[in-house]
């Protein structure tokens, strides 16, 4: 059993926060106006823990910032509609499972297929958004973004190497 020991992990989180805070501040200052946000649930994490849509160090023109805003507004609206559709299907599944008596397995299978189709649409939307971001950048900006992301990946790997795996065992056995 893997356990999480917060006391041992807090210094690492503090160091990580001090390392990443300037990068995030730089990303916000260089890339887009304050009202431009990445779509939630993007490829780099869940809501509240997103990488900047354009890595730090890549400066966008005013026209690119406007296009970026348009891309994210459309992606947000489309994803919101898909999430609502997915929730409606989940509600139907829960309702079908809560009914007394025999299950209508064919209806559940159909709902499961519908749910899978919505998830596939969300994935396709994410890919489409990333393609639009790619096309938004110039070749020089793409190269700078790649270099920055390579450095961030290397830093992440170094942190994983330093932290290692959490101790395993019963929590009662831990000091």
């Amino acid at each position: 059993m893997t356990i999480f020991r917060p006391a041992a992990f807090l210094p690492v989180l503090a160091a990580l926060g001090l390392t990443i805070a300037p990068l995030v501040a730089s990303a916000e200052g260089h890339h887009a106006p304050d009202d431009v946000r990445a779509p939630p649930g993007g490829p780099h994490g869940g809501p509240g823990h997103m990488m900047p849509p354009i890595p730090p160090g890549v400066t966008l023109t005013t026209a690119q910032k406007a296009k970026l805003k348009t891309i994210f507004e459309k992606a947000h609206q489309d994803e919101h509609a898909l999430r609502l559709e997915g929730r409606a299907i989940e509600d139907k599944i829960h309702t079908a499972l809560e009914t007394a008596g025999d299950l209508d397995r064919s209806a559940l299978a159909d709902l499961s297929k519908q749910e899978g189709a919505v998830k596939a649409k969300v994935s396709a939307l994410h890919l489409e958004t990333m393609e639009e971001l790619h096309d938004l950048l110039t070749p020089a900006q793409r190269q700078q973004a790649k270099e920055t992301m390579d450095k961030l990946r290397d830093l992440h790997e170094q942190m994983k190497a330093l932290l290692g795996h959490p101790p395993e065992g019963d929590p009662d056995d831990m000091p």
Side-chain angles (χ1 to χ4, degrees):
M1 174 178 193
T2 303
I3 72 160
F4 176 72
R5 294 180 18 196
F9 199 62
L10 287 176
V12 175
L13 285 176
L16 179 62
L18 291 173
T19 303
I20 293 180
L23 296 175
V24 173
S26 172
E28 291 175 2
H30 289 291
H31 303 303
D34 291 336
D35 57 342
V36 174
R37 292 188 182 91
H44 299 294
H49 185 68
M50 298 262 321
M51 290 292 289
I54 306 294
V58 178
T59 305
L60 299 178
T61 65
T62 304
Q64 286 175 314
K65 288 178 184 179
K67 179 67 176 166
L68 181 71
K69 181 179 178 180
T70 303
I71 290 169
F72 282 148
E73 285 175 349
K74 180 185 180 305
H76 178 74
Q77 290 171 354
D78 292 349
E79 184 167 353
H80 181 71
L82 288 170
R83 297 274 180 213
L84 289 177
E85 184 180 341
R87 284 188 196 119
I89 295 169
E90 287 175 4
D91 289 344
K92 289 178 184 177
I93 291 172
H94 289 282
T95 300
L97 291 171
E98 293 169 350
T99 58
D102 293 339
L103 291 175
D104 185 352
R105 295 186 192 284
S106 63
L108 283 170
D110 183 49
L111 289 169
S112 179
K113 287 178 187 176
Q114 291 176 31
E115 184 179 37
V118 169
K119 288 179 181 179
K121 288 178 187 177
V122 170
S123 292
L125 176 63
H126 289 173
L127 179 59
E128 178 184 325
T129 303
M130 295 306 293
E131 289 172 354
E132 289 177 5
L133 288 176
H134 174 272
D135 295 344
L136 176 71
L137 300 177
T138 65
Q141 288 171 323
R142 282 187 220 131
Q143 181 60 34
Q144 179 62 46
K146 181 189 178 322
E147 290 170 4
T148 301
M149 292 308 293
D150 288 345
K151 289 177 186 177
L152 287 172
R153 263 187 228 101
D154 290 344
L155 178 61
H156 180 72
E157 290 301 318
Q158 289 173 13
M159 289 175 54
K160 279 176 42 180
L162 286 172
L163 293 174
H165 294 287
E168 294 191 19
D170 190 11
D172 295 331
D173 295 341
M174 297 294 155

